[in-house]
Amino acid sequence: MGSQGFGYSSRGSGCNRSIGVSATPEKPRFRPNALCVVPCTVSQLHSATEIQSGFSMGEIEINMVSLVGIVRRVSSSMSSMLYLLDDMTGAPIGARFWLDGEEDGVENSAIPPGTYVKIIGRLRSFENHRSVVGLHIRRLQDLNEITSHILEVTQAHMAYGNPPLHKTNNTSISSNGTEQHQSVKNVEGFSPAQNEVFKLIKSYPDPSGISLKILSNCVTPQYLFNIKNCLQFLTNEGHIYTTVDDDHFKAVD
Amino acid sequence: MSGVFEAPKHRINASMLSQYVSKPVCFTGRVEKVHPSGKSFTLTDGEGKTASVELNEPLDEELSGIVEVVGMVSNKGTVMAVAYTALRDDKIPFDLELYNEALKIIHDHPQHYPFQ
């Protein structure tokens, strides 16, 4: 065996079959990040941004995806089956299933065009053309899976706080994702953390003020480490004051 | 017209037809009545509202149950079908009302379920 030089990482038997999936030698075959299967629409696959470790849509990393759609065309060759999948959200996408003699979830018994299927595979981009490397395909026995997939896609992308595409205010949606709070209107001169702490104190109904304990429970987890600094800043600027003790705060009207 | 397949085909119900005139749509509904000529039929959606579908060529088969039509909306509010698929739901019935609820959700949240 031995090392093969040129920076190749030899994987035992070496490349006995160049599938074309891993085009560059440096890219390892398996991505540990891609452990989730994300339900997606074809349009989302086309518009996903290519990043170093695969693809992303806003906050979500999408590599392994599930799709539900209707097969528009099937083309087969000696080594693979190509299904053109249409889920109505855009131009159909090709999903290629490599035939390697193992049944492995690939239903070689013909899936004719006009059949609704569920496909699980990996998103791939080659020369600006998006496609799916198919891992599993099955016909839908229960067509209510069309509905459930629609709902799963919406829920998955909603849960990851995918920011709205068209409504961007002046707050820049930075790539670190720090500016995810669209609902909180920024008070002039406050940082997002200070703003949120101030809003929480201001909206607390109890006349004796909000305790530090409750405040810590309500604040966004990423701001928690900074809470004491925020309180110090707000007190110094005269926006809040302490009430029953040093750990209870009220906002100045 | 084959360009319709390459375009996004908004999933809609009967109430949304007027918003999608001259646009490609995907309409799923239950067959209500087939015109004797076989060149048109009506579908009811999950809300019980009706839409009219017109075909280029007359049907060459019995059409019943749940059908998914892909086509363009005419200015009369009918769907000019380019293709249709009969959704076989004899084993497990298709819940059209639930599908309608899903439609309303994706129309309220186009950013999470984009049509290109």
Side-chain angles (χ1 to χ4, degrees), chain A residues 95-125:
Chain A
R96 191 174 290 280
F97 289 79
W98 296 95
L99 308 169
D100 46 15
E102 301 158 30
E103 279 321 291
D104 229 354
V106 177
E107 209 180 37
N108 287 339
S109 52
I111 294 178
T115 323
Y116 255 101
V117 296
K118 180 162 198 170
I119 287 180
I120 299 182
R122 182 174 269 122
L123 179 58
R124 180 185 179 223
S125 180

Side-chain angles (χ1 to χ4, degrees), chain A residues 48-51 53-56 60-63 123-125 130:
Chain A
T49 341
E50 204 165 345
I51 58 172
S53 56
F55 298 87
S56 79
I60 324 166
E61 205 172 301
I62 58 171
N63 293 294
L123 179 58
R124 180 185 179 223
S125 180
R130 296 279 162 99

